[in-house]
Amino acid sequence: MCGICCSVSFSIDNFSKDLKEDLLYNLKRRGPNSSRQLLKSDVNYQCLFSGHVLHLRGVLTAQPLEDERGNVFLWNGEVFSGIKVEAEENDTQIMFNYLSSCKNESDILSLFSKVQGPWSFIYYQASTHYLWFGRDFFGRRSLLWHFSNLGKSFCLSSVGAQTSGVANHWQEVPSSGVFRIDLKSPTISRCVVLKLYPWKYISRENVVEECVNSLTQISADLPAFVSVVANETKLYLEKPIIPLNMLLPQAPLETHWSNISSIPTTRETLQVFLADGHTKEVVQQFIDVLSVAVKRRVLCLPRDENLAPSEVLQTCERKANVAILFSGGIDSMVIATLADRHIPLDEPIDLLNVAFMTGEKTIPTSFNKKRSKQKNHYDLPFEEFSKNVAATDGASPDKQFSVPDRITGRAGLKELQVINPSRIWNFVEINVSLEELQKLRRTQICHLIQPLDTVLDDSIGCAVWFASRGIGWLVTQDEVRSYQSSAKVVLTGIGADEQLAGYSRHRIRFQTHGLEGLNKEIMMELGRISSRNLGRDDRIIGDHGKEARFPFLDENVVSFLNSLPVWEKANLTLPRGIGEKLILRLAAVELGLTASALLPKRAMQFGSRIAKIEKNNEKASDKCERLQVIS
């Protein structure tokens, strides 16, 4: 994780030797291990490069990098596959070495087509006066742009900054491909021209239509003096995933029960599916590909065995290197179980569980009013969880934080302790009062969420910020003590719901438009995940000098899931707690998980109780007034 920034000026009046103080502060929070700036000037322009590094692999490599030909590179990414990076090597240096040897634009695009892993980058090519930049296919790393002064300057940055009394003009760079700017051309035409090299499938069907649509969408949000054009050479990046399988069954979906309403939400029900040889094989293939994705994300970081003996002696106990955003729900439980396979056994794993203060004095055994009236069969696992953890609740620092995710989180902890009692599982109870929420949103969080601005962005952004900060309580049988997670890597389950029909809107779409409609909904979810979620979450988690990693969005995981027909991933003729994310639930059973395999989807904003904590009558899609506060 790094904070990268390039400020470009085309007018001598705007030339500056430093970034604005608030922007520099926000960038430094992302990269606490090294900060450096570099100025490149020409007759027609000036580029100020600013790099701030969070050191995670190989030798600490300060950014920006510059080679003997004057090329400059800023990299915020991880190479997990596609390009060979040895354990002792730094991927920033490896990428720059490859870039420096690129002879033409085709070589540059070929390089970025190979990289598997999250990335955003800025690359200055001195000989051509070109500035290249972009984000990976899913947009797992944030990159913003800001155009000002009628084309006289613009800025690219991992994170933006607010200016008091001025509207926020930062926007997310679309994950549509790689962009290139000729830094000499704006002085002639007074127009910033962005050339796009889009992502395309090798099968190249409908590529022209796809490219035109992308250009139109990007241009619509930019100032009039900025234009986006297709590159005249018709070059492109190869999409790192295969297309979604849109196949529809020739016959109606079979179920193992004649009466859907009588299907019990039990582990035994899931075992019935696993009795089918083909299903069991597909589930095992899914476990294998997801396990490799988790392994790559928990091993690419420095550990105590890599430290000098003197450094190890200073540590009185082993620290966790990996943390998981943990609700006890199926996504985080499966990630935790697979992480346990690959992280050294003597190393703790931090389970970060966030709760916002409620007005209730007792444990809410029914957290959803509508569902509490119905008392449906899919409520049973939650009620069972409540009973399991009620006995330990007396140890909690404050019962006002016994929100749904806290209850399922504690029960999930017990499951993990059964699966591996030798592991130290640090269940970190992160309790947030309304006062602390309002103060830190105003002073720190709101600029990270922007340019997104809805009530939903506010709820999820704030919840993820407090969770990933990792300051809370460790509650064990013996004691309650304050704790701060030292883990630099934070695993999150995002991408599971989008691909496996986990949201209620998937069920609604299926009920109204069948499997064809469900396929289209899943395709749309993946297509917009960069703009709806990932840039925001990267800015939020990166603010703590930590790196977000997304196993469910590993290129091989997405390609595997895309290869399956939709009915092998989800079966929405089945009740909640079974039908959505069916393949993941079956994987959970195979991995030895119990009650958590049957938990229905519960959104983070409701499970943590942040939703409607300040305002009862707002909708998730409303513009959030609280994010407009200028500190």
Side-chain angles (χ1 to χ4, degrees), residues 64-332:
L65 290 175
E66 184 178 17
D67 66 14
E68 67 280 357
R69 294 196 297 277
N71 300 320
V72 179
F73 185 50
L74 288 164
W75 172 252
N76 175 27
E78 294 289 347
V79 178
F80 290 133
S81 185
I83 289 174
K84 194 166 187 179
V85 181
E86 301 291 352
E88 69 281 0
E89 291 180 321
N90 180 271
D91 60 340
T92 308
Q93 188 65 61
I94 296 290
M95 285 296 295
F96 192 38
N97 292 346
Y98 276 114
L99 273 174
S100 293
S101 64
C102 288
K103 295 180 175 61
N104 51 45
E105 52 191 2
S106 181
D107 289 348
I108 292 174
L109 298 173
S110 177
L111 174 64
F112 284 102
S113 294
K114 289 176 188 170
V115 176
Q116 293 202 2
W119 50 264
S120 63
F121 79 97
I122 302 168
Y123 175 54
Y124 171 72
Q125 206 173 13
S127 61
T128 57
H129 302 275
Y130 289 160
L131 191 70
W132 298 80
F133 60 94
R135 300 163 69 195
D136 72 79
F137 179 72
F138 296 115
R140 289 165 289 186
R141 290 290 172 260
S142 170
L143 192 64
L144 307 176
W145 54 25
H146 182 205
F147 298 92
S148 60
N149 297 322
L150 295 176
K152 291 178 183 175
S153 67
F154 73 92
C155 190
L156 298 165
S157 180
S158 298
V159 62
Q162 287 187 328
T163 306
S164 184
V166 177
N168 188 29
H169 294 301
W170 291 96
Q171 294 173 299
E172 290 187 331
V173 173
S175 296
S176 309
V178 164
F179 295 88
R180 194 197 82 193
I181 294 180
D182 183 343
L183 294 174
K184 286 208 162 184
S185 69
T187 56
I188 302 166
S189 60
R190 293 295 171 201
C191 176
V192 177
V193 179
L194 306 171
K195 288 204 171 162
L196 174 64
Y197 298 80
W199 295 101
K200 296 181 184 177
Y201 294 120
I202 302 174
S203 56
R204 293 205 289 278
E205 293 172 7
N206 300 319
V207 289
V208 176
E209 180 185 352
E210 182 184 344
C211 185
V212 169
N213 287 343
S214 188
L215 293 176
T216 307
Q217 291 160 6
I218 297 166
S219 299
D221 295 326
L222 292 171
F225 56 84
V226 182
S227 62
V228 185
V229 298
N231 73 89
E232 59 276 0
T233 47
K234 301 277 195 286
L235 291 171
Y236 59 90
L237 299 118
E238 294 178 14
K239 285 190 177 180
I241 59 168
I242 66 170
L244 183 68
N245 184 341
M246 303 292 278
L247 188 69
L248 298 176
Q250 294 180 321
L253 286 181
E254 287 184 31
T255 66
H256 299 270
W257 290 269
S258 54
N259 184 2
I260 297 295
S261 62
S262 66
I263 298 174
T265 309
T266 62
R267 203 164 181 269
E268 289 67 34
T269 299
L270 293 173
Q271 293 281 14
V272 172
F273 288 94
L274 290 167
D276 176 76
H278 172 72
T279 300
K280 192 176 180 74
E281 183 182 355
V282 169
V283 168
Q284 190 55 55
Q285 289 171 343
F286 176 47
I287 291 172
D288 291 344
V289 72
L290 186 59
S291 180
V292 171
V294 171
K295 180 180 180 179
R296 286 173 176 160
R297 284 156 178 79
V298 300
L299 294 186
C300 284
L301 53 134
R303 288 191 150 80
D304 284 354
E305 57 264 30
N306 306 124
L307 300 177
S310 59
E311 293 178 287
V312 176
L313 289 173
Q314 293 168 8
T315 309
C316 58
E317 58 184 32
R318 287 300 296 264
K319 301 285 187 186
N321 289 306
V322 175
I324 300 168
L325 295 186
F326 188 78
S327 65
I330 185 165
D331 306 347
S332 57

